[in-house]
Amino acid sequence: MIDWQKTASHVIGEVHRNLPADADLATRKKALRAARPWEFASTSWGKKVWAKHSRKYLEKYGLPPLKPKAVEDHLSPLERLMAKAKGGDA
């Protein structure tokens, strides 16, 4: 059975060790795409794990981080139903 997290970290670590220290972001992205094992391209879980680890690695070298999701106005489904029953806009 494959350990997705460890495999992704290991492969990305190997890519990092094989790149020159002054490699730019585009070169790093290209190297990661080329080194991605087929399991990470053929399954939905593999794609998610690879994307998470790749992003974490690339953010260290200039990739802008994702904006955090706003959760201030989030209502649960039950809260939406209660608001709707009261005549709210939810």
Side-chain angles (χ1 to χ4, degrees), residues 57-71:
Y57 171 74
L58 292 171
E59 282 177 358
K60 295 176 189 176
Y61 297 97
L63 185 70
L66 294 174
K67 294 179 183 175
K69 295 180 182 178
V71 291

Side-chain angles (χ1 to χ4, degrees), residues 53-89:
H53 284 272
S54 295
R55 173 164 281 285
K56 191 171 152 184
Y57 171 74
L58 292 171
E59 282 177 358
K60 295 176 189 176
Y61 297 97
L63 185 70
L66 294 174
K67 294 179 183 175
K69 295 180 182 178
V71 291
E72 304 134 8
D73 299 328
H74 176 72
L75 296 176
S76 71
L78 178 60
E79 291 169 330
R80 271 185 255 140
L81 284 173
M82 290 169 47
K84 189 175 180 181
K86 290 181 184 177
D89 292 336

Side-chain angles (χ1 to χ4, degrees), residues 28-42:
R28 292 179 190 279
K29 283 182 180 182
K30 188 175 180 180
L32 286 177
R33 275 194 303 270
R36 181 177 62 186
W38 71 270
E39 296 95 344
F40 289 93
S42 63

